[in-house]
Amino acid sequence: MKIVVCVKQVPDSAAKVVVENGKVSWGDAPLVINPWDEYAVEAALRQKEALGGSVTAITIGGEGSKDALKHALAMGADDAILISDPALVNMDTQATAQVLAAAIQKIGGVDMAFFGRQALDGDAGLVPAQTARLLGWPALTLSSVIKVDGGSVKVERGIEEGRQIVTAKLPAVFSLTKDFGEPRYPSFMGIRKASRAAIPTWSLAELGIPAPVSVIAWPEIMNPPSREVTCEVISGGSPQEIAEALADKILAEKVL
Amino acid sequence: MNTWVYVDHFKGTALPASWEAIGVGKTLGTVKALVFGSGVEALAKTAFEYGADEVLLADDPALADYRAEAFAATLGKLAADGAPDLLLFPTTTRGRELAGMTAIDLKTGVMVDVIALEAADGKITVTRPIYAGKLLTKETCSSKPQIITLRGRAFPKPAQQAGKSGTLTKVSAAAGDFPTKVEGYTTAEGGVSLTDAGVIVAGGRGVSNNPALTPPAGLDEKQAEVWRAQQGFALVKDLAAVLGAAVGASRAAVDAGYIPYPNQVGQTGKVVSPDVYIACGISGAIQHLAGMRTSKVIVAINKDAEAPIFKLARYGVVGDLFQILPALSAAFKKKLGK
């Protein structure tokens, strides 16, 4: 089974993210592998463990993005590729998908491509389905259970109403949700291996595609309006009296 | 503006954000609603009642279940022929995926999970949250059609006008051998969907701390903690039942195994925006606040007066949720005549 997992480097979820002088800042918070992508790496590794084969982690970005690849390697991925090119900046999701689809095709013979459900920074959640569409592969997004049987796969996908059970033929694209199961921690040996790993860099020329054209622009990024609330603390009396007073306050808001 | 709205539904029941999208489309011009499914003509009628001028109805057994590839092929062909200026989807699991695929087919972009928009000379500028709502961004799209998914509850649902009708156009499903097959469904355990909910009652780590409870014999420490938490969540669920509310949870509560992941609110769970959000035993980690900060009225019940959740709360109770919650359920039951 030839498996690819696509990852991204993002600010830690505990970061306080603000706009300062028109630029997004996350202070001194660390950049980490996108938390959703850890589930994708976990899913990729479990498929490899069950079926044999290899796991290749790929990302798009600068030198710093190698850290996300090293995290995947430390978890157990076999190798990693950094896709880096000065033209690959401010990409929208369909441009990102074009690059990833080209990389998956260049790797060749891929059976399964795994993604996190969305990136914690842009929050779009479009790249997995868009990459699948470009490859002409089934998009098995929001999967929480994956069972491969020969050349086909059965997944359970999270939908608003519960789960949808779908079968499809491989190759296919998968995006993972948190209820797939906890991602493993990098092992000590894994971290040592990752720190020594040679990570090749592919440019657009090596991918053999022109620079993708982004059509979405971001003219302004803002801090959200601050919430002007002062908390009215309900106190005094028995729990029953407090509850009565609180219920009256909530009802007086006329939103129930 | 010539706007098309994709009506997302499950077995003929529309997700309310679909009607909100028709409302948005009507503020910009004429609306064609897209209804895909099998035996869904009734849904087309409802789309007229929410304001659609025309409905493109693809009613075909091949569309009985949502399958991304079959639906995208049908939609892509219609849009290539009909050339809408704007395609609106509700930001649902299906809506988001279909919007993304359609954008690839039509060589355009998607502005996703939009909470506000304005139009000038046929060009839309949207506002949408990024970093789970820690920031907002404006976005524009330089290609046509402009594709937008609208966040549920961010726009008003138009009034339903009984009996209003319009032009019903039957269209065919795209033919083809699509690579996926739907085997069936497992339904979520009852209750109200978090993203559609007007009221949410949510529990955090604090729900496991009831000192008055003695766990049954034979449980190890972790099992006893989960057992305690489940008793605590029973109080959360009782209040939710009285209010017709959805049940939410913090990541800490989900990671500790107190309640399943679909209930998680926050940066790595669901982002919600109800009218009332009652946080019980939730301290208010930044990842949780990001997921619920746009709720209209936030109520916090927590024994720690310094908990960050109180900074967002309109009303707060510093106290024992195991005493306050049952009393609050009883008070609402009485006042709401239930």
Side-chain angles (χ1 to χ4, degrees), chain A residues 123-124 141 222 227 244 253, chain B residues 96-97 132 293 315 334:
Chain A
D123 271 335
T141 57
M222 304 154 283
R227 268 185 87 96
E244 288 275 335
E253 296 278 346
Chain B
R96 189 192 290 252
E97 179 177 75
R293 66 188 304 282
Y315 301 109
K334 191 174 74 185

Side-chain angles (χ1 to χ4, degrees), chain A residues 163-181:
Chain A
R163 286 181 183 180
Q164 186 187 41
I165 301 157
V166 179
T167 51
K169 292 258 183 286
L170 295 177
V173 166
F174 304 79
S175 82
L176 275 297
T177 63
K178 183 171 167 172
D179 45 7
F180 179 80

Side-chain angles (χ1 to χ4, degrees), chain A residues 158-207:
Chain A
I159 55 174
E160 281 77 1
E161 299 79 14
R163 286 181 183 180
Q164 186 187 41
I165 301 157
V166 179
T167 51
K169 292 258 183 286
L170 295 177
V173 166
F174 304 79
S175 82
L176 275 297
T177 63
K178 183 171 167 172
D179 45 7
F180 179 80
E182 277 305 294
R184 67 196 68 190
Y185 288 104
S187 66
F188 177 69
M189 288 299 289
I191 292 167
R192 281 186 40 168
K193 191 189 88 183
S195 69
R196 290 195 304 256
I199 298 177
T201 301
W202 288 357
S203 65
L204 282 173
E206 279 157 302
L207 281 183

